[in-house]
Amino acid sequence: MTMRHVEEDSDDDDYVASFTPLQEQTLTVDTVSSSSDNSRLLTALCPTMDLLAYVTSTTYNSNTLSIYRTITWQKLVDISSADLTATASSSTAAASHPIRAVCWSPDGRTCAVGCSPNGGSSASNSSSFVHLLDMECNGKLVHSLEISGSISNMVWSKRIAKPGGNKDDCPLNCPSEAWNVSQLYYNDKVDHFLPIAFEESVERIRVPTVASLMNMNHKAKNNSSLSVNREKQRAQDYMSARNELSKIPSSAASLSALSVCTMEGVIHIFLHGRYLAAKIVSNTKTQLDSFLIPELIPDLSSIILPLTDSNLTLVDIPAFSFGFNEFKSISSAYCFIDRQLEIFGKAIQKIKKAWKDSLRPLEMKFIALKSLFKDYDVSNSCVRSGLLNFILIGNSKSNPSSDAIKLFFSNYMPEQGLHRIVKTSESGLASIEEAMRKTVLACVHTIIYATSEIYGHARASAAFAYYDQFLCHNDALSLQKSAQSLCLITEQCITEIVTFRYRLQDLLRWFTGTTAMIKVEGTAEDFIGRENAKRKKVSQSVLDHVTSFLIEGISRKSLDVEEMEVEKVIGVNISSYFEKEHIEFKRGNNWRSSQVTPSLASIYKQVSSTFLSLFEGPERKICKNVRLNGVSFSKNQKNHKLATHKRRGFTPFSIDHFEEEIHQWLLIARSFEEESKQFIQIVAFPGLVYCEVDDTMIRPPFYLTSIIEFPESYRTIDIEFYGDDGLSSLSSFNDDKKLEDNTPEGRQALIALVEKSCTRNELSCQELWYIKYDQIVFNLVCVSKDDDVFTVESNIDDFALSNISFCTFNEDEEEKSDSNYASVRRRKMDPRHAKSDTHRILAIGSRGIGGRICSENCIDLFDLEEDEEDDDDDEC
């Protein structure tokens, strides 16, 4: 990439360069769009940090996401679509899932990346993935969502409270006691009295090597350093647990929604970016190359969806309006339980592998012993029976397996090899027990707490809610009971592991003593090895313990899985806990009176299934009340560009017996050309309000609209809203509808990339415009309550002059004239890239940054809140 400097053109006498340049970069790779015709460049500015995400590519089937700092242009993340899709649970080739959409979470911590397969219509039958990258962990992939179809667009919106706080959000028909109950959320108190599991603890589950054991023994000689290391480990574990909690949205946090639109016209809404709360089918395919990004209204109750370049769909989701408090608890509980179940599943898989790795050296020895029994024609080749006979009968002719066992101890059990087996197996099992207690059991305890809280929430909603409850309390009770069963099985498994460890410890002690005694048989009385063998001889209590569990045999068995030889000898089958079947427990001394109970893997599967079933209930109830409203324009003009925005504010209305305070607004800006003149039409749709007559949420029967007229010789290339989601009221109205106490808009403007027509010998000149619309006058247009299609008036001849504002570059001109003016700040762009195939505006109001990106790999970023200061050099 190279830095560029643009000399300002001074031919325009009225021109004053606005904005402070931040970056002028030329990328060394192609910037790819979401479609083959390069109609939309994939870039996104972070709303809270100085970060820019963009997608680059050199091939059709694969591309790369890069994230840079907008100030220093330091690269923070560089990850390919193949690497992202390879992590998803799909056998589809990773290279066939290039990146199609990018957006940021409202807090700027997470970057959502949508990957879809190529193939046109055939891609509708394939799966797409949305990957969430945590920027506080250097772009680490923390979660992946799988959806059907091909991703068209994504947007991540945050619910914004009304001015005055959440108290004003109470619906008019909601009883006070029900509202108080709905504000009760399940408390995130787990970290106060229970340790929470974190992913780093799963990564530490492994079998220690001999070298690491020797290093540990060396460090153990210095007790002070060992205690310091333990303190550091505890401190690190505490910080890791706190970091794990910070990744999970709290139930007290503002509700956010990740909306993923597919080419098949389906909208997937994930609360907090994880919980699929709604799957809405619009019945019309969206256009992948659409300029319009879907936008959610501030209370998340409506979303605008692009269908074609002149028709839109306004989707109403009433449940998000009156039930947002409950959804804060539901989505937070889902994210928490889902994360703990995810860690539980990973830990179980790691422990399953670590268990087999820890016992593999000893397992190989027992397999060799079983082979020796066959070579010596022992009728019963069971290792457990052979060892038991050797203890009870000893080396005699009546024991056919004694010769094989003597050969086994003398040739297959060298002293150093046996020492390594003792160390690795005991250390491995100790680490497994620690992982079961600190990770698996911690997950189970927190899951029990969360399921208990969500069950209480479901019962409270059933008793006090003024609307149909979203969670079934019977399903919540089933989940709680399944979690309790999971806890019992987990604790039972830990008990079995402890039993296995003690039995294996005594068995290896007997092995060590027996090996030493057999190797000194037939040696001289004064042989030094005899003294060593006497010291290694086990006590009678150890021998009695080994004999008892060898006589007892295996007390529990798997119904479908073949046990390991080590587990048959010890009499405890731990492997069956990690397999997908049940365990049969023996009652007494025979299998005739046995009991079948779930294994750890099967009860975990049951909990996961019950968990998904419970949280699928709200999705069905939400989609049942979804309403689709068509939006069309009365006249289809040329050069059609679209942009969307959401606003909050306080605006009272009284229209034909309709009296309501509108707090939610959804704005659409539309540029068009008519009679060689360029215009921008702004349309404001009000949010849902409560209707006492119908006892439901309805859409007010009107909309607001206004027109901005451009000066001659200017043509719109792209438009974008620039704002901070506006906590102030929505501007002015015509006639007597103007607010008496009009609040300033703050960062609210339209950003337009325009092209000025030039003479034949001049290059096309592009300018970046900052158009203030806080003083423009909106016209109120009433519609029929029964219409499910909004036909927006777009014919210029039907607009009164008072509803048309004119762009001006001179703010003084606005004060001298009686006409409506919209003041414009502007800056000329680099003319060398004016003929690029595609140009797109970048703008983020929360950071005060905006600019342009073009298909020739050029990015220009500016500080839109500060104008560049002129440096005048006073030379003598």
Side-chain angles (χ1 to χ4, degrees), residues 623-799:
C623 296
K624 184 175 64 175
N625 297 320
V626 166
R627 298 191 295 268
L628 302 179
N629 304 281
V631 178
S632 62
F633 297 92
S634 61
K635 188 174 183 180
N636 187 16
Q637 293 91 348
K638 297 179 180 179
N639 192 27
H640 193 176
K641 308 295 181 183
L642 288 169
T644 58
H645 189 43
K646 57 177 178 288
R647 294 299 310 279
R648 290 302 306 258
F650 172 79
T651 309
F653 280 93
S654 178
I655 307 168
D656 296 334
H657 306 291
F658 180 87
E659 296 184 2
E660 191 59 62
E661 298 174 356
I662 305 299
H663 292 270
Q664 315 286 340
W665 295 94
L666 189 60
L667 274 67
I668 298 175
R670 169 180 176 267
S671 68
F672 61 91
E673 183 179 348
E674 185 172 316
E675 296 180 357
S676 302
K677 293 183 179 180
Q678 193 74 32
F679 301 91
I680 289 181
Q681 181 179 12
I682 301 178
V683 184
F685 294 102
L688 302 179
V689 295
Y690 173 69
C691 178
E692 295 184 2
V693 177
D694 300 331
D695 190 25
T696 185
M697 305 294 292
I698 66 170
R699 178 166 295 282
F702 63 89
Y703 64 88
L704 308 177
T705 185
S706 184
I707 295 289
I708 300 176
E709 182 177 341
F710 278 28
E712 294 183 2
S713 72
Y714 283 97
R715 182 181 66 89
T716 306
I717 298 176
D718 193 17
I719 57 174
E720 191 69 45
F721 276 99
Y722 169 84
D724 51 8
D725 294 331
L727 297 179
S728 54
S729 61
L730 179 65
S731 192
S732 311
F733 305 99
N734 198 7
D735 299 331
D736 298 331
K737 298 295 187 285
K738 185 177 294 187
L739 292 179
E740 296 179 0
D741 185 16
N742 200 354
T743 308
E745 293 295 327
R747 288 182 180 175
Q748 299 298 330
L750 271 172
I751 305 298
L753 184 62
V754 301
E755 185 178 58
K756 183 180 180 181
S757 59
C758 303
T759 61
R760 183 175 300 178
N761 296 329
E762 294 178 344
L763 293 174
S764 299
C765 178
Q766 288 187 2
E767 296 181 5
L768 189 68
W769 285 13
Y770 179 103
I771 309 172
K772 296 181 180 180
Y773 65 90
D774 56 340
Q775 296 300 322
I776 66 174
V777 178
F778 285 92
N779 183 37
L780 188 147
V781 181
C782 296
V783 296
S784 175
K785 296 181 180 180
D786 300 328
D787 290 345
D788 56 358
V789 176
F790 283 90
T791 302
V792 179
E793 184 58 53
S794 60
N795 191 353
I796 296 298
D797 296 336
D798 295 335
F799 279 83

Side-chain angles (χ1 to χ4, degrees), residues 485-547:
S485 300
L486 181 64
C487 182
L488 293 176
I489 299 298
T490 302
E491 292 177 344
Q492 178 180 287
C493 180
I494 293 176
T495 302
E496 298 290 296
I497 291 176
V498 173
T499 302
F500 191 99
R501 284 188 61 195
Y502 279 108
R503 290 187 178 186
L504 181 63
Q505 185 181 35
D506 286 347
L507 180 66
L508 292 177
R509 286 180 182 177
W510 177 69
F511 274 13
T512 302
T514 304
T515 301
M517 294 298 295
I518 289 178
K519 288 185 177 181
V520 297
E521 283 186 2
T523 59
E525 292 293 334
D526 57 350
F527 181 58
I528 192 173
R530 288 183 174 272
E531 292 296 328
N532 185 35
K534 289 181 180 180
R535 288 195 301 268
K536 293 181 179 181
K537 185 178 180 180
V538 296
S539 62
Q540 187 61 37
S541 61
V542 173
L543 188 60
D544 292 342
H545 183 220
V546 174
T547 304

Side-chain angles (χ1 to χ4, degrees), residues 3-138:
M3 293 292 296
R4 297 177 288 108
H5 178 70
V6 180
E7 295 291 341
E8 297 293 351
D9 187 2
S10 59
D11 294 341
D12 191 346
D13 296 335
D14 295 332
Y15 175 73
V16 177
S18 301
F19 320 137
T20 301
L22 296 178
Q23 285 292 340
E24 294 178 281
Q25 298 287 342
T26 299
L27 308 179
T28 57
V29 289
D30 295 333
T31 303
V32 74
S33 70
S34 63
S35 60
S36 59
D37 61 355
N38 208 31
S39 62
R40 182 166 59 89
L41 301 172
L42 291 183
T43 53
L45 285 167
C46 180
T48 60
M49 296 183 286
D50 293 321
L51 299 177
L52 170 68
Y54 65 89
V55 179
T56 58
S57 176
T58 54
T59 65
Y60 180 68
N61 289 327
S62 179
N63 46 22
T64 301
L65 172 71
S66 300
I67 298 179
Y68 279 86
R69 293 194 182 276
T70 56
I71 305 298
T72 62
W73 209 248
Q74 175 189 1
K75 183 182 286 188
L76 302 179
V77 174
D78 193 30
I79 183 170
S80 67
S81 59
D83 293 336
L84 284 172
T85 314
T87 60
S89 56
S90 175
S91 59
T92 307
S96 62
H97 284 71
I99 299 173
R100 296 301 185 191
V102 178
C103 68
W104 291 89
S105 62
D107 61 2
R109 173 171 180 166
T110 306
C111 181
V113 184
C115 298
S116 294
N118 286 320
S121 60
S122 62
S124 60
N125 299 324
S126 304
S127 295
S128 298
F129 301 96
V130 179
H131 306 286
L132 305 182
L133 308 181
D134 189 352
M135 291 309 302
E136 293 190 6
C137 297
N138 298 321

